[in-house]
C-alpha cells in the first residue's frame, strides 16, 4: 500500500533555484514491477535533472553505477527493504555486497518490531553494524514512522545518531503512511545538525517538498521528479525575483 500524496497549501514563500531542488531529490526507482528498460529510463531522468541521487533496487546497483559513472548523481540503494525483518548479519552482508557493486548511499530499514518492543540497544547496534559495513558512505535509516509512537520514534532517532547514521528517514513509501509535517518537525528537533532528515512517502508535489523542507527535511525520495521540477520552472518564470536564499 503506497503512502498517500501529502496535501499541503500552495507554497507562497520564496522559491529555490531548479538546481537547489534537484540536489534535494533522491529519484526513486524501487517499485517491484520496473523492467530493465524502466530503470534505464529512470536513470536518464536523474541524469537529465542532475538529482542528488537515484535510489535503485539492489539488483540494479551495478547497472546504475555503470550508467551514472562520471556524473554527479550518486547511486543509492536499499538494505532490508521494505520490511526490515532480516537479520543484522544479512543486512551487513547486503551492505558490503552493494558497496562492492557501486552503491554510494545506503537506505536501511530497521527491525521495526524490535524497536516497538523497546529494544533500543538492538536498534543502535544494528544501525552501527550497517554504518561500519558502508565504509564511510552515508547511511539513511528508515523508521516507517506510521508504525511507531512518538516515544519510539525519538528513541530510534537518537539511536541512529549515536550509531553514526547520516540521515533519519520517515518511511519506505510502501506502508500505509509516509512523510508528515509532524514527523519531520519531530525528527529535526530530536537529532543534532550533524544528522540530516529525509522525507519519503507521498512527496509528489513541489508544494509538499517545499513545506517539508521548511520544517527541516533536506533530502526527499520522489518518483515525480520531472513534474516537481517542471512546476518549479513555471513558477520561477512567473514570479520574477521571488527567490530563496539558502
Amino acid at each position: 500500500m503506497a503512502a498517500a500524496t501529502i496535501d499541503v497549501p500552495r507554497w507562497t514563500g520564496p522559491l529555490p533555484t531548479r538546481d537547489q531542488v534537484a540536489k534535494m531529490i533522491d529519484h526513486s526507482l524501487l517499485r517491484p514491477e520496473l523492467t530493465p528498460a524502466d530503470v534505464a529510463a529512470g536513470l536518464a531522468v536523474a541524469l537529465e535533472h542532475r538529482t542528488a541521487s537515484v535510489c535503485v533496487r539492489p539488483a540494479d546497483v551495478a547497472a546504475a553505477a555503470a550508467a551514472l559513472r562520471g556524473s554527479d548523481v550518486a547511486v543509492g540503494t536499499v538494505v532490508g527493504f521494505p520490511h526490515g525483518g532480516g537479520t543484522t548479519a544479512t543486512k551487513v552482508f547486503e551492505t558490503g555486497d552493494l558497496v562492492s557493486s557501486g552503491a554510494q548511499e545506503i537506505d536501511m530499514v530497521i527491525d521495526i518490531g524490535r524497536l516497538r518492543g523497546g529494544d533500543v540497544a538492538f536498534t543502535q547496534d544494528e544501525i552501527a553494524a550497517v554504518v561500519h559495513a558502508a565504509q564511510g558512505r552515508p547511511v539513511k535509516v528508515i523508521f516507517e514512522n506510521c508504525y511507531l509512537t512518538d516515544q519510539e520514534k525519538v528513541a530510534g532517532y537518537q539511536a541512529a545518531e549515536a550509531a553514526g547514521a547520516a540521515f533519519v528517514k520517515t518511511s519506505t513509501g510502501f506502508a500505509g503512511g509516509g512523510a508528515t509535517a509532524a514527523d519531520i518537525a519531530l525528527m529535526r528537533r530530536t537529532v543534532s545538525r550533524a544528522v540530516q532528515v529525509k522525507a519519503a512517502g507521498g512527496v509528489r508535489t513541489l508544494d509538499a517538498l517545499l513545506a517539508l523542507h521548511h520544517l527541516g527535511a533536506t533530502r526527499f525520495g520522489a518518483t515525480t521528479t520531472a513534474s516537481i521540477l517542471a512546476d518549479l520552472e513555471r513558477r520561477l518564470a512567473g514570479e520574477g525575483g521571488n527567490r530563496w536564499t539558502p
Side-chain angles (χ1 to χ4, degrees):
M1 180 178 178
T5 300
I6 298 166
D7 184 18
V8 296
R10 181 180 173 87
W11 177 259
T12 58
L15 293 169
T17 68
R18 186 185 183 286
D19 287 346
Q20 286 168 332
V21 170
K23 287 304 179 191
M24 289 189 265
I25 294 175
D26 293 342
H27 187 57
S28 179
L29 299 170
L30 295 171
R31 294 199 315 272
E33 76 277 14
L34 295 178
T35 66
D38 293 330
V39 173
L43 296 174
V45 169
L47 276 171
E48 176 187 354
H49 297 293
R50 298 183 63 185
T51 58
S53 81
V54 291
C55 192
V56 298
R57 300 168 304 193
D60 299 319
V61 166
L68 299 176
R69 188 171 292 118
S71 78
D72 62 352
V73 179
V75 177
T77 192
V78 289
V79 164
F81 195 86
H83 301 304
T87 66
T88 299
T90 299
K91 293 177 184 179
V92 167
F93 175 83
E94 189 174 19
T95 301
D97 184 52
L98 294 170
V99 165
S100 296
S101 296
Q104 297 164 288
E105 298 183 352
I106 300 293
D107 290 34
M108 70 161 289
V109 187
I110 64 163
D111 185 322
I112 301 160
R114 293 292 285 264
L115 179 59
R116 291 187 69 229
D119 197 345
V120 180
F122 176 90
T123 300
Q124 182 172 324
D125 289 346
E126 180 171 76
I127 296 168
V130 170
V131 168
H132 179 73
Q135 303 173 40
R137 291 156 183 82
V139 173
K140 305 168 200 162
V141 181
I142 305 172
F143 286 92
E144 210 69 281
N145 284 330
C146 64
Y147 297 135
L148 303 173
T149 66
D150 281 358
Q151 183 177 2
E152 290 162 353
K153 293 170 192 174
V154 167
Y157 306 155
Q158 291 173 338
E161 177 160 17
F167 288 79
V168 288
K169 178 177 170 181
T170 56
S171 51
T172 62
F174 286 80
T180 68
D183 279 339
I184 295 298
L186 179 62
M187 295 168 108
R188 187 65 279 164
R189 289 197 306 269
T190 301
V191 296
S192 77
R193 290 291 168 178
V195 179
Q196 298 185 63
V197 174
K198 178 174 174 180
V203 184
R204 299 188 180 95
T205 66
L206 177 64
D207 294 307
L209 184 151
L210 294 176
L212 296 182
H213 177 71
H214 182 69
L215 293 171
T218 51
R219 196 76 74 85
F220 299 87
T223 59
T224 57
T225 299
S227 64
I228 288 171
L229 293 173
D231 188 14
L232 176 61
E233 288 177 343
R234 286 190 295 269
R235 296 195 202 185
L236 287 170
E239 296 181 22
N242 188 21
R243 298 293 190 271
W244 173 48
T245 301

